């Protein structure tokens, strides 16, 4: 297989705001791993694929770290977010 046959995804920095981009990066990374595992690439093509895989892996890890941070923030107990008791007025509007 020649270096021209390597898929070179242009997605380097997936963000949590774009789940499709993250999924595309993950699929591209899996394709690179498959190519490298087959062992039919030359040295230069293997190095290029490995470098692209590292960039994709780091981008995916950043996106996962961001998601984890958001979950941690949302899961933290907050005094400002304490539930308030329902009054007759709020109970009626909640049923509507």
């Amino acid at each position: 297989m020649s270096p021209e046959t390597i898929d070179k995804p242009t997605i380097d920095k997936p963000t949590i705001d774009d789940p499709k981009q993250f999924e595309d990066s993950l699929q591209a990374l899996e394709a690179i791993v498959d190519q490298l595992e087959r062992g039919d690439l030359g040295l230069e093509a293997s190095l290029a694929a490995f470098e692209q895989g590292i960039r994709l892996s780091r981008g995916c890890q950043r996106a996962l770290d961001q998601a984890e941070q958001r979950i941690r923030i949302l899961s933290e107990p907050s005094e400002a977010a304490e539930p308030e008791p329902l009054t007759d007025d709020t109970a009626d509007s909640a049923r509507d």
Side-chain angles (χ1 to χ4, degrees), residues 2-75:
S2 66
E4 295 83 33
T5 59
I6 296 176
D7 294 331
K8 293 186 178 181
T10 58
I11 304 164
D12 289 333
K13 295 181 180 178
T15 62
I16 199 65
D17 296 329
D18 190 354
K20 175 71 172 136
Q21 191 175 10
F22 176 81
E23 292 295 326
D24 290 345
S25 292
L26 202 53
Q27 285 180 340
L29 182 57
E30 289 172 355
I32 289 170
V33 169
D34 288 343
Q35 286 178 326
L36 291 172
E37 286 179 342
R38 283 195 309 268
D40 54 1
L41 298 176
L43 178 60
E44 287 301 316
S46 293
L47 286 172
F50 181 77
E51 288 172 1
Q52 181 66 16
I54 291 296
R55 282 191 295 274
L56 289 167
S57 175
R58 288 179 180 161
C60 288
Q61 187 60 53
R62 273 192 304 273
L64 291 172
D65 290 344
Q66 289 172 356
E68 182 180 5
Q69 180 65 23
R70 288 177 66 186
I71 290 169
R72 207 175 300 127
I73 289 169
L74 293 171
S75 299

